[in-house]
Amino acid sequence: VQLQASGGGLVQPGGSLRLSCAASGSIHSINRMDWSRQRPGNQRELVATVTSGGSTNYADSVKGRFTISRDSAKNTVYLQMNSLKPEDTAVYYCSMVVTSTTSATMNYGGKGTLVTVSS
């Protein structure tokens, strides 16, 4: 199973970006999908989570500004980021709990995508 994230870039404060992360491979089902980030000089932190049932959870720092969603048919998770602040500058990573076609369940992570919020 491979995860490919995209959508990062440079945006001005107050702007928006939409990140995408698609999973491919021998996938039977995907349970939880997460976005986390690592800001310069900081440890990686969990930003948002969406379960297979559609329940979502957010870090306090992004509540009301970020929205996580999923398209299960496409094995894809999205992160809509609005009202971006300079402190949102980070490498963003997606991860998914995947059950493969061989019934093995594992947590997979993808390479990050850089988001820079700067004027």
Side-chain angles (χ1 to χ4, degrees):
V1 176
Q2 297 83 39
L3 274 59
Q4 181 66 51
S6 61
L10 174 64
V11 63
Q12 292 187 341
S16 298
L17 277 177
R18 188 192 195 207
L19 305 182
S20 301
C21 177
S24 61
S26 301
I27 298 169
H28 175 264
S29 60
I30 302 177
N31 188 357
R32 201 178 85 184
M33 297 177 168
D34 301 326
W35 285 99
S36 59
R37 68 184 180 186
Q38 187 163 17
R39 294 182 281 185
N42 289 271
Q43 292 184 332
R44 190 179 298 193
E45 59 178 338
L46 184 63
V47 172
T49 295
V50 60
T51 67
S52 57
S55 297
T56 58
N57 196 32
Y58 298 93
D60 288 342
S61 58
V62 306
K63 279 182 182 176
R65 299 188 299 121
F66 290 12
T67 301
I68 189 171
S69 61
R70 62 188 286 166
D71 184 334
S72 295
K74 295 182 179 179
N75 294 328
T76 300
V77 62
Y78 305 97
L79 187 67
Q80 178 67 43
M81 305 185 293
N82 298 329
S83 303
L84 283 161
K85 305 175 181 180
E87 51 264 42
D88 293 318
T89 295
V91 178
Y92 285 74
Y93 300 89
C94 62
S95 59
M96 300 184 187
V97 177
V98 177
T99 298
S100 71
T101 53
T102 61
S103 299
T105 298
M106 292 181 61
N107 189 37
Y108 292 88
K111 293 182 180 179
T113 184
L114 177 62
V115 172
T116 303
V117 184
S118 175
S119 55

